[in-house]
Structures are given as C-alpha cells and as structure tokens.
Amino acid sequence: MSKTFSKSDVASHNKGDNLWIIVDDDVYDLTKFQDEHPGGKKILTRVAGKDASKQFWKYHNEGILKKYKPKLQVGSLDSKPKAEPTPEPSSTYAAPQPTKETKKAITPSSAQTEEAEPLEPFGSLIPFADPNWYQGFHSPYFNESHAALRAEVRQWVESDIEPYVTEWDEKKEVPREIFLEAGRRGYLAGLLGVKYPVEYVKSSIKSVSPEHWDLFHEMIITDELSRVGSGGFVWNMIGGFGIGGPPLIKFGKKALKDRIMPGLLSGEKRICLAITEPDAGSDVANLTCEAKLSEDGKHYIVNGEKKWITNGIWCDYFTTAVRTGGEGMNGVTLLLIEREFGGVSTRRMDCQGVWSSGTTYITFEDVKVPVENVLGKENQGFKVIMTNFNHERMGIIIQCLRFSRVCYEESVKYANKRRTFGKKLIEHPVIRMKLAHMARQIEASYSWLENLIYQCEKMGETEAMLRLGGPIAGLKAQSTLTFEFCAREASQIFGGLSYSRGGQGAKVERLYRDVRAYAIPGGSEEIMLDLSMRQSLRVAKMTGMKL
Ligand code: HEM
C-alpha cells in the first residue's frame, strides 16, 4: 500500500458518508463497509477520522484485519515506521530456502546429536502455546529442515487459510483450490506415513528434500494446519486422504498405484476410508458390508452401507472394508472401490462438529469391483486395518494436542486484554490456575507424542503395529481428554464470547463442538484405554515380561 496520509488528512474523513479510521498506523476507508459491520454503524461513526487501534483490538482478533485489509485499507500514516528489510523469525515470516549450511545440518536420520544447538525461536513465544522446540529449547528430534518446513506451512496457513476458516466452516465446505494447492506444494505426498513417494509427484516440497523426509516432517504439516482451530478444516484436507491413502500405497498392486496415486497426490482426485457401518464402529471385526466373488473370479460384487465416513461426498475412491469370508476378523478384506464403477451413493450427514469435513453415509449397491483392487490379500484385511490405525491415531493425537494449544493460546491472549473487576483476567489467580492445568497436560502429552513418533520412525511396520499399538492407544485417549479439558476451560475463560459463533471466541466455540469427533472415532476413549493395557501386556508377555 503506497499511499501515505497525515493524521489531519484522516481527521477530515470523519462523517458517515466519508468515514476513515486508523488502526496500527494503517488507514481504512469504512464508508461502504459500515452498513455491513457486525458490530454496528454507530460505533464506527464515533471513531470516524480518529486512531481507533485501541477500540479495534478490544473487539477483534488478528484474523479480521488479515481478511479485510486488502478490501478496506487505503494507505498508511506518513509517520508509520518503515518495515525492516529482513523480517524477524516471527509467525508471519517467509519460508527460508535451505542454504548450504542448512543442508549440511540435515542428517539422513531425523535424530540430531546431543550437542546440536537449539533452533531459532519461532512464533508468538507465548510459553506453551507452541511446542518448546519452537521457543529455543533443545530437542533431539528436530533440525533446520523441520524449521524450514514449519515456516513454509505457517506462512501459507496464515495468509490463505486462517482468515477464512470460520466462513468455510459455516458453509460446510473448503474451496477445492486449497486441496489442489496442498497437492502442488507436495504436502499431500508427505502425509501417508511412508518415505516421500517421489515416483508419483511432479514437484516435491520446497523446504525439504525427499530423501530427508521423515515422520516429524509429516507431523509438522498436520500440526501447523491444525493451528487454524477447526477439526472440520483439518479433516477436509487430510481426514479421508491421510487414512484412506496409506493402505493403497502400502498394500496396493503396482499397476493400481501407478494409475491412481498421481491424481491423488496432486489433489485432483480424492480418497477416503470406509470402515465404520451403522452397526459396526469400534467393533470392526463384525462388519457386514459384503463382497461376493463373481463366478469367473474376476470381480467382487459389493453390497452394504458405511456410516460417518469423512470426506465421502467428495471422493472418487473408497478404501473399503468388506466381508469376503466367514464371521470375525479373518473374513475381512480391504477393497479400493471407485465411484466410476457405479452403484455408489453418498449423502452428507449433519453432525455436531467438524462441519466442513463432509461426514458421509454411503450405500454400495451391486458395485462391481475388479479383484486387482484388493489391498493386501483376501480375508487378511484386518491386519491392514490394524496397521493403518496407528497412523490414523497419531494424526488424531497431533491434531488434538494442537487444538488444545489453540484453546490455551487464545485464552492467554484474551486474558491479557479482557478486564473484569478492575484487573486483567490474567491477573486473577483462578484464571492462571486454569491455564496452568491446560499447559501441564499439553506439554506432558506432547513429549510422549514426540517419543512415539521417534519409535515409529525407527521400528519396522510389523514391530510398530505390535509394540506401539498399546502406547499409541493410551496417548490417543490422553490427548482427546486433554483436548476436552482445554476446550472447556478456554470456554469458561471466554465466557459468552465462546457461546455465540464467530468473533473473538470463534475458535474456542468451534473446537468445543469438535471435541466429540476426536473422542469417539478412531477408537473411543474407553476402547483405547483398555487396548493400551491389553496390547502392551500381551506384547510384553511375548518379549519376556517377568511378573
Ligand atoms: C477495519 C475496521 C473493522 C473491521 C474490518 C471490523 C470487522 C468486524 C467483524 C467482522 C465483526 C464480527 C465479529 C468478528 O468476526 O470478530 C466485528 C464486530 C465488532 N466490531 Fe468491528 N470492525 C472494524 C472496526 C471496528 C471498530 C473501530 C470498532 C469500535 C470502535 C468495532 C467494534 C466492533 C464490535 C463492538 C463488534 C461486536 C463484537 C462482539 O460481537 O462481541 N469494530 N467487526
């Protein structure tokens, strides 16, 4: 914005039909906007021609300025300090390109030596609002490539996503362009829990070379996307893809993958995971959607229903659990069903939360699926499903812990501006106590998460399925309970602002509604806690536990 104005220039625009204001040394023309201002016209007339920064920040978040700036800003004050030529590493700085030194610093494994220096501080620096490796703490897990990816994703999220998320959630849809952009940026290919699949992408991620890709990079993409504080948005992006894609890339036949993966990774096609049924949720082994082999042995004929399937309404492919054999887990097969085969109907379900994720009811009616579309082997789908659960649950954990941080961060910011009984909220010990209880749970859970990601990185697929199933289930329950606690406490801190939708409490209000979408699917808290003990004890018995 090149135009500059003096304070007295702005002061002359002080009428209803000519209404300018100043916010943080920038000048805004609100003449047309005042009629649609949700806070009313009158309140703006009172500050017409004046510096309204203080009033503005009392009622709005940063997101409002980001969204409306391009439309309403007409210039800046001539007294506005010039922007620094080199931006500080802050929440809005541009993604650095890996330098020679950076590349040297990246070791093939994600683990750094103990002597490694901490990374440059990044983000708001509010204690516990980001993981501590963002805030100058030492970490054995993260290096410069992780920091570069973090900055790259954050910049995209802050400029193109966060300001619009409330609007998208209300519309129950995210523009297709955002998913396509995730494909162009190479992010989708990094979210499948496998080595970066270079063979299926046109361009890979800017900040990290594919051979150095690891599960901590994958975590960063999910974590940074989750900062928008919307389960609906995150699930729109990866809720189907991140759990429907891995069985295909890990267990699909080469010809099938060669045909399908490129379109999926570019974002042009979409995939979801269809396991749950009206009558089979956590009890996966008892699903009834049936697939009968045709007489010539070339096709399966699929009939049945699937329920609560994330992204289903938009999907071209359905990674589907079907019954091909007898009762129980040994009669289940995983099939890739394509919408083009015909006989697939999808309808949107109305749910309490995750509105923009497209929760779907699916009906399969005499769908003819070639046998080449089996993922893994016939009647051995249960193992594929179990392997997939660890990846799915890790995704849920990453999201829940970031959402907990969002609740906490929003609360800290709000508590530092809202005054009651002559003090800021943060000056009331009862509020600090709430924040402390949020922070301790977030930090403890995140440390466990880092450790389990490291274990996933080091262990082979089968070892991870056996040995990590228990701890991951335990951490899934721990993180959904943490999320529920943080959403509730944040809501108490925001009061009425988190009861109405939109505005300053928008993220907290939305996340409060999203909690159940995390505590129930992917294994309910009860099942997870029980599994964490059963599985851990079973494996320990096999590996020599002494009682
Ligand atoms: C660039 C200028 C402004 C823009 C783009 C803007 C935009 C908005 C928007 C979108 C909302 C809906 C709530 C939300 O989403 O946060 C809102 C609410 C509100 N605005 Fe503004 N506004 C501006 C300036 C101001 C100023 C200068 C004042 C006060 C003098 C003000 C007072 C309010 C109030 C009181 C509300 C209602 C808050 C609530 O519901 O709790 N606005 N504004």
Side-chain angles (χ1 to χ4, degrees):
M1 188 60 56
S2 54
K3 273 198 161 178
T4 55
F5 303 97
S6 66
K7 278 195 172 172
S8 56
D9 289 336
V10 180
S12 63
H13 300 267
N14 62 352
K15 300 272 174 334
D17 58 356
N18 184 359
L19 197 168
W20 288 15
I21 62 163
I22 301 164
V23 177
D24 291 351
D25 294 333
D26 290 326
V27 180
Y28 296 85
D29 181 352
L30 306 185
T31 315
K32 287 190 188 138
F33 175 71
Q34 59 183 318
D35 284 329
E36 58 189 78
H37 179 228
K41 195 165 161 177
K42 199 85 188 164
I43 199 162
L44 296 180
T45 322
R46 274 188 236 128
V47 289
K50 296 184 192 155
D51 187 334
S53 308
K54 212 170 139 198
Q55 294 90 333
F56 181 85
W57 290 117
K58 189 170 172 198
Y59 298 116
H60 316 80
N61 293 335
E62 283 161 21
I64 299 289
L65 263 198
K66 273 191 208 134
K67 185 170 166 189
Y68 287 92
K69 214 173 202 200
K71 228 166 47 184
L72 301 176
Q73 189 184 355
V74 286
S76 299
L77 285 185
D78 48 12
S79 54
K80 181 177 178 175
K82 295 268 170 294
E84 291 288 320
T86 43
E88 286 291 305
S90 73
S91 56
T92 48
Y93 94 144
Q97 288 301 298
T99 60
K100 256 191 190 162
E101 290 72 43
T102 314
K103 282 188 178 146
K104 225 168 71 186
I106 305 168
T107 55
S109 117
S110 62
Q112 288 285 79
T113 58
E114 276 174 9
E115 298 76 38
E117 286 300 308
L119 293 156
E120 281 295 305
F122 178 85
S124 71
L125 302 188
I126 295 170
F128 315 116
D130 274 314
N132 67 16
W133 69 275
Y134 284 46
Q135 304 189 340
F137 280 50
H138 292 268
S139 168
Y141 305 120
F142 300 96
N143 59 41
E144 294 286 348
S145 73
H146 300 104
L149 178 67
R150 174 184 67 182
E152 183 192 321
V153 181
R154 186 167 285 204
Q155 191 194 30
W156 180 50
V157 167
E158 292 203 339
S159 63
D160 294 1
I161 298 173
E162 193 180 4
Y164 311 101
V165 160
T166 300
E167 197 179 311
W168 296 341
D169 225 70
E170 295 291 319
K171 278 193 194 151
K172 302 190 172 176
E173 196 131 16
V174 174
R176 192 170 140 71
E177 173 53 27
I178 300 293
F179 194 70
L180 287 168
E181 178 62 14
R184 282 194 290 271
R185 286 170 169 259
Y187 297 164
L188 294 178
L191 287 164
L192 294 168
V194 292
K195 293 265 162 241
Y196 198 86
V198 268
E199 65 276 30
Y200 296 126
V201 286
K202 283 198 203 106
S203 57
S204 55
I205 297 180
K206 202 164 85 183
S207 316
V208 190
S209 50
E211 63 274 21
H212 294 133
W213 190 258
D214 64 26
L215 294 174
F216 286 100
H217 293 111
E218 177 166 346
M219 162 166 121
I220 287 167
I221 297 185
T222 306
D223 190 13
E224 286 292 324
L225 287 177
S226 305
R227 282 184 63 251
V228 301
S230 164
F233 169 75
V234 179
W235 282 15
N236 185 297
M237 299 294 285
I238 60 176
F241 178 87
I243 56 178
L248 172 62
I249 200 159
K250 286 184 189 169
F251 299 96
K253 291 174 190 62
K254 187 169 180 308
L256 186 71
K257 291 195 285 188
D258 289 350
R259 175 163 69 84
I260 287 171
M261 287 315 298
L264 281 180
L265 300 189
S266 69
E268 277 145 47
K269 299 279 184 184
R270 300 194 63 151
I271 189 166
C272 62
L273 183 72
I275 306 267
T276 314
E277 300 181 355
D279 210 24
S282 296
D283 188 10
V284 180
N286 284 321
L287 56 89
T288 59
C289 179
E290 70 160 19
K292 278 201 172 148
L293 200 56
S294 59
E295 282 190 0
D296 60 6
K298 288 189 177 160
H299 291 91
Y300 289 100
I301 307 298
V302 180
N303 280 289
E305 294 78 34
K306 295 285 172 184
K307 195 172 177 183
W308 299 290
I309 305 307
T310 304
N311 296 172
I313 42 175
W314 302 302
C315 280
D316 306 280
Y317 308 112
F318 304 83
T319 300
T320 312
V322 291
R323 182 156 305 282
T324 40
E327 281 180 12
M329 64 173 87
N330 294 328
V332 173
T333 302
L334 216 58
L335 272 187
L336 187 82
I337 298 183
E338 305 181 33
R339 196 186 278 267
E340 275 194 348
F341 294 159
V344 180
S345 320
T346 53
R347 71 165 168 83
R348 188 197 286 273
M349 294 170 59
D350 273 328
C351 298
Q352 178 186 29
V354 291
W355 285 356
S356 48
S357 72
T359 311
T360 302
Y361 190 92
I362 307 177
T363 313
F364 297 116
E365 222 179 319
D366 292 330
V367 188
K368 202 173 159 191
V369 185
V371 288
E372 288 77 25
N373 283 32
V374 170
L375 305 177
K377 293 195 176 123
E378 194 186 62
N379 292 333
Q380 292 183 24
F382 202 72
K383 190 180 152 214
V384 181
I385 296 170
M386 287 298 119
T387 311
N388 205 39
F389 265 145
N390 277 355
H391 184 250
E392 171 174 4
R393 287 175 190 150
M394 288 300 262
I396 290 177
I397 294 162
I398 297 165
Q399 292 163 49
C400 281
L401 294 183
R402 176 55 79 170
F403 292 153
S404 305
R405 286 193 199 274
V406 169
C407 291
Y408 164 87
E409 181 175 3
E410 292 292 298
S411 301
V412 173
K413 287 183 180 161
Y414 183 66
N416 272 282
K417 67 177 178 182
R418 165 89 170 135
R419 299 181 76 86
T420 57
F421 309 108
K423 286 182 190 176
K424 284 183 181 172
L425 283 189
I426 194 75
E427 286 157 3
H428 294 289
V430 69
I431 299 294
R432 290 200 298 274
M433 200 59 60
K434 285 185 185 300
L435 295 171
H437 281 304
M438 290 156 100
R440 72 173 166 78
Q441 294 181 61
I442 294 167
E443 288 300 316
S445 314
Y446 186 83
S447 292
W448 196 5
L449 168 66
E450 283 182 329
N451 181 275
L452 289 180
I453 289 192
Y454 186 68
Q455 304 310 322
C456 289
E457 183 68 33
K458 294 286 162 192
M459 289 182 191
E461 195 77 66
T462 310
E463 185 185 4
M465 182 185 72
L466 284 172
R467 298 189 70 194
L468 301 181
I472 290 175
L475 182 54
K476 197 232 169 208
Q478 164 67 14
S479 49
T480 55
L481 287 164
T482 299
F483 177 25
E484 179 163 31
F485 177 85
C486 292
R488 183 191 189 279
E489 293 303 271
S491 177
Q492 289 303 108
I493 293 172
F494 271 85
L497 284 181
S498 69
Y499 184 64
S500 46
R501 290 221 297 277
Q504 292 189 76
K507 285 185 185 168
V508 175
E509 184 275 331
R510 187 167 56 229
L511 288 174
Y512 193 88
R513 270 187 288 115
D514 288 352
V515 163
R516 307 251 51 88
Y518 286 81
I520 299 168
S524 69
E525 278 160 10
E526 294 73 12
I527 301 254
M528 290 297 88
L529 289 168
D530 183 48
L531 181 71
S532 74
M533 289 315 297
R534 264 191 305 119
Q535 175 82 355
S536 301
L537 285 168
R538 194 162 65 93
V539 176
K541 204 169 163 189
M542 279 159 46
T543 52
M545 170 175 67
K546 298 175 194 68
L547 285 172

